[in-house]
Amino acid sequence: MDRFEKYFLMIEADVASYVRYKLPDFFDKGSDLLCKEIGDGNLNYVFRVRDAVSGKTIIVKQAGEELRISKEMHVSTDRGRIEAHILKIQNEYAPGLVPEVYCYDPVMCAILMEDMTGHKMMRTALIDHEIYPKFAEQISDFLAKTLFFTSDICMDHKEKERLSAEFVNPDLCEITHDLVYTEPYINDKNRNIVFEPNMEFVQKEIYEDEELHLAAARLKFDFLTDAQSLIHGDLHTGSIFINKEHIYVFDPEFAFYGPAGYDTGNVIANMLFAHFNGLETIKDKEERNEFTSWTLSSVQDIVDLFVEKFSALYDKEVKDPMAKVKGFKEYYIKKILLQTAGVTGLELIRRIVGMAKVKDITVIEDEKKRLHAERSLLIIAKKLILNPEAYNNGSDYISLVNNTAKSIGE
Ligand code: SR1
Ligand code: MG
């Protein structure tokens, strides 16, 4: 029996032989293969194997039984199957915008996939204040196509029902229920990590605000019950690889049938983290203005382009006769916009108050500046969650950010 016929957690020294075992023709026979672990996520192990002579590479992503972020947290290794499956579906609907899956191995719980060479992890690039003018166009394309084509608006309902059964993802959804929709508000598992100087503010504005808790509870039950689209489920800027011409969206292991606005809201929130990192850390005024004007205009464009593209797909591809009834499209898109606003707020709060942080904020060294960024974002988040009806287009988001800045001072 080959040693790869029984699950074990691989280390760098195992992975080249593993690739030769699973994909014997991928690298030339006798080539000198080098392997490095490159993952920096909270859950999995990611290895890059490179042919030292030709430079050809492949990625192997293996799910561990314990999470990297915390050895006490265990989630099903079935997440690899879910990730490989959704990547194949997304590659049909948004071709080229996700890495190609060469093979999924249910024994080792590993995906062998295309290396996204020539691209950087977007969060890292944003912390270096790099500007990507085509991003809003690209990500709105991805969002509109993947969220539209997997929904009941155009899918045969029985087929969608069957597909949603294949994406039942209880362990990963439980993480989201806890970390996004519950713990930031009530700290029931005592896992929140609050920046000490912000403790009093968080106590009053988040832990003691019952109106906010009610709105978050409503959003939680939308997430639990609204099987609208096959969503990525964790679409932050660490799940995007980017260069000036192209993006890859990857790491969709949290995928399941949920509210479409969960993905759009995550993208917007994470662009706001980048925006506030730029505001607080870029010293040169001109450079700061250039970067933060781009982050804000991206937020505006993502919202507007998403609505425009989703609406155009709807007009062209709608299949369900009742979804063609006058006024239903507008109702449906408004519902996505309500979720988008709410989820943007939830993602902002959970990354500041909850256990899983974003580097955009934690790298701000100056205590006062970090405090200012966190408070601004928490205020923005609360407005989005408490009054989602007010955010109908991109410029509503811009006004929100600008008005908040005016109200609490630069
Ligand atoms: C326990 S996992 C913590 C977070 O990392 C993932 O990327 C998800 O965002 C999750 O909430
Ligand atoms: Mg991830």
Side-chain angles (χ1 to χ4, degrees):
M1 179 172 128
D2 195 283
R3 68 190 179 110
F4 298 117
E5 283 171 28
K6 188 166 184 297
Y7 178 84
F8 69 95
L9 196 59
M10 290 188 283
I11 57 168
E12 284 177 352
D14 300 309
V15 185
S17 327
Y18 176 66
V19 173
R20 287 207 195 277
Y21 168 73
K22 288 305 295 178
L23 296 173
D25 298 328
F26 191 84
F27 290 111
D28 291 340
K29 299 224 164 15
S31 49
D32 180 13
L33 300 183
L34 310 169
C35 175
K36 199 169 166 28
E37 210 276 311
I38 56 166
D40 75 342
N42 293 325
L43 275 69
N44 305 295
Y45 297 84
V46 182
F47 302 92
R48 174 180 283 131
V49 180
R50 175 190 299 277
D51 179 333
V53 178
S54 71
K56 190 174 180 188
T57 55
I58 191 168
I59 294 294
V60 177
K61 178 173 174 184
Q62 189 182 27
E65 286 165 335
E66 295 171 338
L67 301 192
R68 295 181 83 156
I69 190 174
S70 157
K71 300 281 174 229
E72 276 92 65
M73 291 174 83
H74 296 250
V75 296
S76 161
T77 46
D78 184 49
R79 63 190 187 268
R81 176 192 64 79
I82 288 191
E83 173 164 353
H85 191 177
I86 189 178
L87 284 173
K88 290 206 163 157
I89 293 171
Q90 291 176 332
N91 220 349
E92 275 168 39
Y93 295 134
L97 294 183
V98 298
E100 188 185 339
V101 173
Y102 302 135
C103 161
Y104 173 64
D105 175 1
V107 175
M108 292 294 284
C109 306
I111 308 174
L112 292 88
M113 65 178 143
E114 179 185 0
D115 190 3
M116 297 168 278
T117 42
H119 295 65
K120 289 181 184 169
M121 184 193 280
M122 187 170 180
R123 192 182 304 287
T124 312
L126 292 177
I127 290 171
D128 290 339
H129 306 128
E130 291 177 14
I131 290 175
Y132 294 93
K134 297 185 179 170
F135 177 65
E137 193 69 64
Q138 295 159 331
I139 196 72
S140 58
D141 232 46
F142 176 85
L143 289 165
K145 287 175 177 161
T146 58
L147 298 173
F148 179 80
F149 283 115
T150 58
S151 76
D152 277 303
I153 299 298
C154 78
M155 272 188 89
D156 172 75
H157 304 318
K158 280 166 79 179
E159 211 179 292
K160 181 241 166 176
E161 226 20 58
R162 278 192 285 270
L163 187 64
S164 64
E166 290 176 39
F167 283 95
V168 171
N169 196 355
D171 285 6
L172 283 277
C173 284
E174 183 186 40
I175 293 178
T176 306
H177 304 156
D178 290 346
L179 297 194
V180 178
Y181 287 95
T182 306
E183 292 177 31
Y185 302 91
I186 58 173
N187 200 17
D188 54 330
K189 294 195 177 150
N190 211 16
R191 298 193 295 198
N192 286 350
I193 304 170
V194 178
F195 182 48
E196 188 50 42
N198 221 2
M199 194 55 105
E200 228 175 278
F201 187 86
V202 168
Q203 180 67 33
K204 176 167 175 290
E205 296 293 334
I206 308 295
Y207 293 161
E208 290 172 12
D209 188 335
E210 287 180 3
E211 208 191 325
L212 179 69
H213 294 191
L214 176 58
R218 282 202 196 106
L219 287 161
K220 179 173 182 178
F221 279 77
D222 291 337
F223 186 84
L224 285 161
T225 56
D226 189 359
Q228 188 175 32
S229 296
L230 179 56
I231 65 171
H232 177 289
D234 196 25
L235 220 180
H236 54 79
T237 50
S239 298
I240 299 171
F241 265 53
I242 193 162
N243 65 27
K244 295 282 178 191
E245 296 304 323
H246 182 252
I247 59 167
Y248 280 115
V249 176
F250 74 115
D251 213 14
E253 64 202 327
F254 283 77
F256 82 117
Y257 259 91
Y262 192 78
D263 282 354
T264 46
N266 264 274
V267 173
I268 293 166
N270 280 275
M271 288 308 290
L272 291 175
F273 287 127
H275 178 73
F276 277 86
N277 174 283
L279 277 182
E280 305 297 349
T281 67
I282 304 177
K283 297 210 166 61
D284 180 75
K285 192 172 170 202
E286 209 176 303
E287 196 199 323
R288 185 170 64 244
N289 284 342
E290 199 193 347
F291 181 75
T292 55
S293 306
W294 170 71
T295 44
L296 267 199
S297 67
S298 296
V299 168
Q300 175 164 10
D301 293 346
I302 290 165
V303 178
D304 292 341
L305 288 169
F306 169 75
V307 171
E308 187 185 311
K309 290 174 188 184
F310 195 94
S311 168
L313 285 171
Y314 199 114
D315 292 341
K316 193 162 166 255
E317 307 278 353
V318 57
K319 303 279 187 318
D320 183 299
M322 294 307 282
K324 293 179 186 170
V325 168
K326 194 165 177 281
F328 187 77
K329 178 180 85 171
E330 289 69 25
Y331 158 81
Y332 193 91
I333 292 177
K334 176 68 186 168
K335 213 173 138 198
I336 298 180
L337 286 170
L338 286 168
Q339 279 296 313
T340 302
V343 170
T344 302
L346 295 172
E347 171 73 1
L348 293 175
I349 291 178
R350 75 101 165 200
R351 297 291 191 180
I352 292 171
V353 175
M355 73 183 277
K357 303 291 184 206
V358 287
K359 281 200 178 136
D360 316 52
I361 300 304
T362 57
V363 297
I364 303 174
E365 280 172 6
D366 183 307
E367 189 175 300
K368 280 206 181 107
K369 288 182 188 292
R370 176 163 170 187
L371 209 55
H372 186 260
E374 289 199 357
R375 288 186 183 177
S376 308
L377 286 163
L378 290 175
I379 290 168
I380 288 170
K382 287 186 67 172
K383 289 186 178 156
L384 287 163
I385 295 172
L386 290 168
N387 191 17
E389 294 79 14
Y391 305 96
N392 292 306
N393 54 49
S395 71
D396 292 335
Y397 282 81
I398 306 306
S399 310
L400 169 66
V401 174
N402 290 336
N403 293 341
T404 305
K406 271 188 219 135
S407 74
I408 72 167
E410 295 296 326

